[in-house]
Amino acid sequence: FQTLLDNLPNYQGFKSNSSSYDMDLAFLFNPNRITINNSYEIYSDNWHAFPRSPLVVEIEYKGTPLTIINNHLKCCNGYENEIRRTQASALLENYIDENLQDQRVIILGDWNDEIDFFQNFQIKPDEYEFADNELTLSPEYWSSPTYPSHIDHILITNELFEVMNNSGSSTNTLRIEDYLTKGWSEYYSTLSDHRPVVIKLNLN
């Protein structure tokens, strides 16, 4: 992470330090555009639901406050792992309900399961929306092509629904391998087994 920052002089960043195997969550930002008001981890005492504690950052962009919750939920198939992801999803919803009511919240990261799995959010369409839902319809834009599946998501609260409908707002998967000489094999071996999923919000 420090090597990345050293090569991006216009950016700053920070990461958590509570995850095992050095799989810490992180944020990278441009301080000329983004103001960081606060950052902290939640559920750091619940390793069963969160093998990597969610990293929360409260930011401000052009006077608009946003709260972003970065996650990397438990991986892999199997009943026990599914239970852990179910618990994590419920706890994230509970945290928002108790602490972030009426705030613009984005919950993103590697959820390690498909959107339909997270029913607690799906059954509340007036409160939550997976901004990347349409990406599930196009396998060529799935975030984890070697699995293959789409398991990296961006969830927004209803305070951002109107913003998401603004012209210029969008959600996409970045097919970075299309710009590499050796394509996916090069991307996979040097960067990641997941593609980035990004959201662009026109806050005007």
Side-chain angles (χ1 to χ4, degrees):
F1 185 68
Q2 187 58 50
T3 301
L4 178 64
L5 290 176
D6 291 342
N7 286 279
L8 294 170
N10 294 327
Y11 285 78
Q12 295 178 8
F14 53 88
K15 66 182 184 69
S16 61
N17 56 15
S18 62
S19 299
S20 56
Y21 306 107
D22 294 324
M23 298 181 69
D24 295 309
L25 300 170
F27 279 100
L28 184 70
F29 64 97
N30 185 336
N32 295 320
R33 300 174 63 87
I34 297 293
T35 300
I36 303 293
N37 293 325
N38 198 11
S39 64
Y40 50 91
E41 294 180 64
I42 57 175
Y43 296 120
S44 57
D45 59 345
N46 192 338
W47 181 86
H48 188 265
F50 295 102
R52 293 154 288 267
S53 303
L55 180 58
V56 183
V57 61
E58 298 173 2
I59 73 170
E60 191 170 317
Y61 175 71
K62 292 186 176 180
T64 299
L66 294 164
T67 300
I68 304 171
I69 305 177
N70 187 3
N71 293 279
H72 185 178
L73 303 188
K74 183 67 183 76
C75 76
C76 309
N77 294 324
Y79 177 76
E80 178 63 23
N81 294 328
E82 291 177 357
I83 289 296
R84 294 175 70 174
R85 288 193 291 275
T86 299
Q87 292 174 345
S89 186
L91 288 169
L92 287 170
E93 180 187 1
N94 184 67
Y95 185 84
I96 294 169
D97 288 345
E98 292 187 356
N99 301 280
L100 301 173
Q101 278 287 342
D102 303 321
Q103 297 188 36
R104 302 173 185 86
V105 182
I106 303 172
I107 310 98
L108 48 72
D110 183 356
W111 294 60
N112 264 317
D113 220 317
E114 297 178 359
I115 285 176
D116 289 344
F117 179 84
F118 302 100
Q119 284 298 305
N120 61 309
F121 293 116
Q122 291 280 61
I123 63 176
K124 297 182 177 180
D126 294 334
E127 299 179 41
Y128 300 97
E129 178 182 337
F130 280 97
D132 59 302
N133 190 59
E134 289 191 5
L135 298 178
T136 65
L137 305 176
S138 304
E140 66 270 25
Y141 287 98
W142 285 356
S143 64
S144 182
T146 53
Y147 189 61
S149 63
H150 184 71
I151 56 177
D152 301 85
H153 308 302
I154 300 174
L155 181 71
I156 61 174
T157 56
N158 54 9
E159 291 80 9
L160 287 169
F161 285 3
E162 184 176 350
V163 173
M164 197 63 215
N165 290 325
N166 286 344
S167 174
S169 293
S170 61
T171 308
N172 292 292
T173 303
L174 300 185
R175 291 177 51 97
I176 296 176
E177 72 270 20
D178 292 345
Y179 301 92
L180 300 177
T181 302
K182 298 181 180 179
W184 176 254
S185 63
E186 182 179 355
Y187 180 85
Y188 183 89
S189 63
T190 59
L191 291 173
S192 175
D193 60 340
H194 289 227
R195 294 170 174 145
V197 179
V198 301
I199 187 169
K200 178 181 179 181
L201 296 175
N202 179 3
L203 297 173
N204 294 327

